Amino acid sequence: IPLRLQRPYNKISPHQIASSRRYLSAMAATKEFPLLCLENPLLDIQAVGTEDLLKKYNLKANDAILASPEHVPLYDELLNNYDAKLIAGGAAQNTARGASYILGDQKVVYLGGVGDDKYADILRDAVKQVGLRVEYRVDPAHPTGRCGVVITGHNRSLCTDLAAANHYDLDHLKSPRIWDLVKNAEFYYVGGYHFTVCPPAIQALGEEAAANNKTFVVNVSAPFIAEFFKDPLDASSPYWDYVICNESEAAAYAKSHSLSVSETDVPAIAKALANLPKANAKKPRVAVITQGTLPTVVAVQGADDVKQYPVHAIDAAKINDTNGAGDAFAGGFVAGLVQGKPLETCVDMGQWLARLSIQELGPSYPFPKQSY
Ligand code: 26A
């Protein structure tokens, strides 16, 4: 290791930090399964909907929620009346597929809970295509989770029935075969939706990362996580080496944490996230906030300046739908981390993969494969 990182970080040149990170990552990138991801595997039931359909089920045009009993008929209605397509989903599984799309076979492993059914088989087929290894906890008593996706224009409304995904547990993570994969990995990526399922598993990965100077990445994933799952989210925050969210999740975080900055001041929120207390003081935290077509905002713990990286806009006519755009961004970003790329390249890789994904149906990536 070329250098020991010590506080205060701003006394160390960004070049020194970057070269140290690149060294560690180059080591990681050459071995199998350096990246391990955890969250909720879901099958997306996606269709173009109408304002009336949103109204009927009390859905906002651009939102992500957990289904309540009133939403149960939505899935059949999408399938029967709206020509819905079945597409592999689950936010962090989309990210894991995206990272695997870039990194290639045997580099990414994904954990989560599914049922013993044909929906799980659809997921297994989709991950095979990009060389992603999945280690599902198969629950014979519950079906694979579903996410109803209602597309209206460039908005997407997500309504999730977690089912088997809700039964993921620490026993699975700590079982010898899976824990070997955890010990082997150098990077962990946790989708924020998992805070509704198994916070102890998230803590276990965070602790493992901090104790061994590995890299722990958390995506906030949805405004309701920052709002209603604040306690488990905050319990994990000391472990965050990277925190990724979008502007509405940032606003929800600022509000629920009573930050003394405006909910629309994205650079100030990024700075606040980056400077939360941190367990592993060997490397500064990085906060990354995406804002659709507006620039991606990046703050580094201890640094005064907050950087902004404009996105390369594509022709609106080329957009298929934005379901999974944020997941794809995270996939490109973490693939860059694993490859030891500089921060600005990781951001560019995230933006590149998001751009590819929004041109596909749902959270998918183009084939034949394109290279960054
Ligand atoms: C617990 N919840 C609500 C969820 C999700 C989810 N993934 C995991 N847990 N709600 C929606 N998604 C996924 O988000 C992707 C788009 O970002 C959908 O399956 C969709 O593929």
Side-chain angles (χ1 to χ4, degrees), residues 52-107:
D52 282 349
L53 182 68
L54 293 174
K55 212 178 281 166
K56 177 171 173 189
Y57 288 98
N58 254 319
L59 300 171
K60 291 185 201 150
N62 207 18
D63 202 5
I65 62 161
L66 286 167
S68 46
E70 66 170 320
H71 298 116
V72 173
L74 170 69
Y75 305 97
D76 278 344
E77 181 153 4
L78 285 170
L79 285 167
N80 297 335
N81 304 343
Y82 290 85
D83 190 28
K85 302 284 182 286
L86 303 180
I87 314 166
Q93 186 167 237
N94 302 335
T95 297
R97 280 191 295 114
S100 206
Y101 181 88
I102 293 176
L103 295 170
D105 288 1
Q106 311 268 86
K107 293 296 180 196

Side-chain angles (χ1 to χ4, degrees), residues 314-370:
I314 58 166
D315 190 348
K318 283 188 168 172
I319 299 178
N320 199 325
D321 64 72
T322 59
N323 180 20
D327 309 334
F329 173 88
F333 184 86
V334 289
L337 292 182
V338 173
Q339 290 179 333
K341 304 287 190 202
L343 191 51
E344 60 271 28
T345 308
C346 296
V347 171
D348 196 60
M349 289 171 76
Q351 294 179 348
W352 174 79
L353 196 62
R355 197 155 66 234
L356 292 190
S357 177
I358 61 180
Q359 296 177 67
E360 303 296 308
L361 182 72
S364 310
Y365 305 101
F367 279 87
K369 256 197 200 184
Q370 302 200 19

Side-chain angles (χ1 to χ4, degrees), residues 39-40 42 44 66 89-91 94 147 158 160 162 193 323-324 327 363:
E39 207 211 35
N40 316 321
L42 301 174
D44 286 358
L66 286 167
N94 302 335
C147 177
L158 309 171
T160 294
L162 278 169
Y193 288 118
N323 180 20
D327 309 334

Side-chain angles (χ1 to χ4, degrees), residues 23 71 122 133 153 158 165 181 188 202 227 271 276 278 296 337 348:
Y23 177 85
H71 298 116
I122 296 178
R133 172 172 172 184
L158 309 171
L181 288 165
Y188 304 120
I202 301 173
E227 228 177 309
K271 212 166 178 176
L276 290 171
K278 193 164 185 292
T296 304
L337 292 182
D348 196 60

